[in-house]
């Protein structure tokens, strides 16, 4: 959880939230296009609800109703982002598609028993506490029963408020979500939208006939010969946040390059290689256990031609590295970092179009057995969202989507530190903590 202060944080108070009135629907302020809206194959693979929160202080003498301002702005911004006012359904081809019904986004108001600052001390995803700030559709059994956009505004004792959002990842990736929320904020402040959405996703349609030109190991099923699933089943899950400040990140990069194998590496490559290696050790994988690293690369500028500005959809492509746990653990850090570099460099226009076509043929989902999936939010400026009350004093995810996922978030006032958020079985978390940089 991002709270804009130092890297360590205290204990949050017990949060109690009471819903005010019924959930309502907010349709677009004007009539919009109706009918079916195409989702690309890059959207199909990550159709999971993503829950985030943004907390704001009230201004001096502020008598405005946050809920009304945000609700009215939502109605106006949905004119531009009208698929978010529709509903997910399945196309005759068996794929996700949006039925642009114009029904609207779900909107709820609530009140809490404490100050916004009291939840800002929470530096780890906490689905139980923070989940109270995001509305859950009662009785929803699958994503088709959850509208693409659900918003909850919770007022706090201090006069501040939290906007809690549940948005389906198939509607956009982090960059697209950030552009939408920032457009919503601009609309609330009476400003024109800086980056209007580009809505036509058919530019990422599969080719006919499909052309699969690369091996797509991101979908490879791995045998769990180390029985790590047993560890998850029998032990309590622990969630921790590790802050890597600029000095630590420089030391990590130096450590990755000290044997001369690499001439350069990015912060992301060094940190990803280090975390993959440490997590593999912590889970006590057998040396011959295959292990996979997955992460998303932003393909917007890598497509030929590049995706248009404001592309509304997923412009990210999963790339991967595959090796054995033994090699990862025994070889120097440069080995893991080099694998990450190769995975980044693999992502070209041809690779991404091959991935789109691979899904067209296989309908495969990425397998997460013996896999680490790194999600990077450190380059996303969610912390600059302004609805008229300045930047958020707290922003971030409510929970990690899967046990295999590790999240990188930028941290601190200058965004130079990176918070690494993860969950592991208790014994593995103890080992992971000992492998952190303050121990070397």
């Amino acid at each position: 959880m991002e709270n804009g202060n130092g890297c360590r944080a205290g204990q949050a108070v017990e949060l109690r939230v009471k819903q005010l009135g019924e959930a309502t629907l907010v349709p677009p302020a004007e009539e919009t296009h109706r009918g079916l809206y195409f989702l690309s194959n890059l959207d199909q693979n990550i159709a999971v609800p993503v829950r985030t929160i943004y907390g704001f202080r009230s201004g001096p003498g502020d008598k405005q109703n946050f809920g009304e301002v945000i609700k009215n702005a939502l109605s106006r911004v949905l004119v531009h982002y009208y698929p978010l006012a529709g509903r997910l359904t399945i196309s005759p081809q068996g794929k996700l598609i949006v039925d642009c019904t114009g029904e609207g986004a779900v909107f709820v108001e609530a009140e809490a028993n404490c100050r916004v600052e009291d939840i800002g001390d929470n530096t780890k995803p906490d689905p139980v506490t923070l989940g109270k700030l995001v509305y859950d559709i009662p009785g929803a059994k699958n994503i088709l029963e959850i509208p693409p956009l659900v918003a909850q505004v919770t007022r706090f004792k201090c006069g501040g408020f939290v906007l809690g959002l549940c948005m389906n990842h198939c509607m956009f990736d982090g960059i697209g979500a950030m552009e939408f929320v920032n457009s919503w904020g601009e609309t609330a402040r009476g400003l024109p939208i800086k980056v209007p959405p580009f809505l036509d996703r058919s530019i990422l349609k599969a080719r006919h006939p499909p052309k699969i030109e690369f091996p797509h190991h991101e979908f490879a099923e791995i045998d769990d010969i180390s029985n790590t699933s047993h560890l998850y089943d029998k032990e309590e899950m622990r969630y921790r946040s590790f802050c890597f400040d600029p000095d630590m990140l420089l030391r990590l990069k130096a450590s990755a390059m000290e044997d001369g194998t690499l001439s350069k590496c990015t912060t992301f490559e060094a940190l990803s290689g280090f975390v993959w290696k440490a997590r593999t050790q912590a889970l006590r994988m057998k040396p011959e256990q295959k292990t996979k690293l997955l992460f998303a690369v932003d393909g917007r500028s890598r497509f030929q031609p590049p995706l248009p500005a404001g592309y509304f959809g997923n412009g990210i492509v999963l790339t991967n590295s595959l090796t054995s746990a033994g090699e990862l653990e025994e070889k120097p850090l440069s080995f893991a970092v080099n694998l990450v570099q190769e995975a980044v460099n693999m992502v070209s226009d041809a690779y991404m179009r091959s991935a789109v076509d691979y899904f067209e043929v296989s309908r495969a989902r990425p397998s997460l057995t013996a896999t680490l999936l790194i999600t990077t939010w450190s380059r996303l400026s969610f912390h600059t969202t302004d609805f008229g009350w300045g930047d958020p004093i707290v922003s971030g995810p409510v929970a990690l989507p899967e046990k295999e996922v590790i999240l990188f978030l930028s941290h601190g006032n200058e965004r130079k530190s990176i918070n690494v958020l993860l969950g592991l079985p208790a014994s593995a978390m103890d080992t992971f903590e000992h492998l952190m940089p303050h121990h070397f």
Side-chain angles (χ1 to χ4, degrees), residues 170-189:
C170 70
M171 300 309 289
F172 29 42
D173 54 22
I175 289 169
M178 178 186 76
E179 286 174 350
F180 164 67
V181 176
N182 287 342
S183 297
W184 186 358
E186 286 156 7
T187 305
R189 287 180 287 145

Side-chain angles (χ1 to χ4, degrees), residues 14 17 52 106 113 314 322 425 432:
E14 192 197 343
V17 174
T52 51
V106 174
N113 64 324
N314 285 278
L322 193 60
F432 191 87

Side-chain angles (χ1 to χ4, degrees), residues 163-362:
L163 174 62
L165 298 178
C166 176
M167 303 192 287
N168 198 302
H169 209 318
C170 70
M171 300 309 289
F172 29 42
D173 54 22
I175 289 169
M178 178 186 76
E179 286 174 350
F180 164 67
V181 176
N182 287 342
S183 297
W184 186 358
E186 286 156 7
T187 305
R189 287 180 287 145
L191 301 172
I193 290 176
K194 261 194 212 131
V195 186
F198 178 89
L199 294 172
D200 182 10
R201 302 189 190 197
S202 67
I203 58 173
L204 291 184
K205 267 193 166 148
R207 294 170 290 196
H208 292 293
K211 236 165 87 185
I212 299 160
E213 301 173 281
F214 294 82
H216 289 281
H217 294 308
E218 59 269 36
F219 302 102
E221 285 283 354
I222 298 173
D223 283 337
D224 180 18
I225 60 171
S226 306
N227 203 11
T228 49
S229 56
H230 179 62
L231 205 57
Y232 281 99
D233 292 339
K234 72 171 187 171
E235 289 189 21
E236 173 205 359
M237 279 292 279
R238 292 241 177 99
Y239 292 92
R240 280 287 317 268
S241 158
F242 297 91
C243 182
F244 288 74
D245 63 26
D247 283 348
M248 279 183 185
L249 293 168
L250 280 173
R251 290 213 311 272
L252 210 49
K253 285 169 79 168
S255 174
M257 292 191 289
E258 69 187 357
D259 64 359
T261 307
L262 304 172
S263 56
K264 63 179 192 308
C265 71
T266 65
T267 298
F268 170 79
E269 290 159 358
L271 188 56
S272 297
F274 173 77
V275 167
W276 185 23
K277 186 179 168 89
R279 182 179 176 272
T280 303
Q281 284 177 259
L283 287 169
R284 300 192 287 280
M285 290 185 185
K286 292 181 175 175
E288 64 274 22
Q289 171 73 59
K290 285 276 178 223
T291 175
K292 183 169 62 181
L293 174 68
L294 290 178
F295 58 92
V297 172
D298 178 19
R300 280 169 166 70
S301 62
R302 293 173 181 244
F303 276 108
Q304 297 301 328
L307 296 184
Y311 178 77
F312 173 53
N314 285 278
I316 54 171
V317 177
L318 278 181
T319 185
N320 68 88
S321 296
L322 193 60
T323 189
S324 69
E327 282 206 295
L328 205 54
E329 287 181 38
E330 287 154 27
K331 292 193 172 178
L333 180 58
S334 58
F335 173 76
V337 176
N338 185 51
L339 287 176
V340 177
Q341 268 186 3
E342 287 174 353
V344 173
N345 294 335
M346 185 163 66
V347 181
S348 60
D349 178 74
Y351 175 84
M352 294 187 291
R353 295 197 186 274
S354 173
V356 167
D357 291 0
Y358 184 90
F359 182 84
E360 191 70 15
V361 171
S362 69

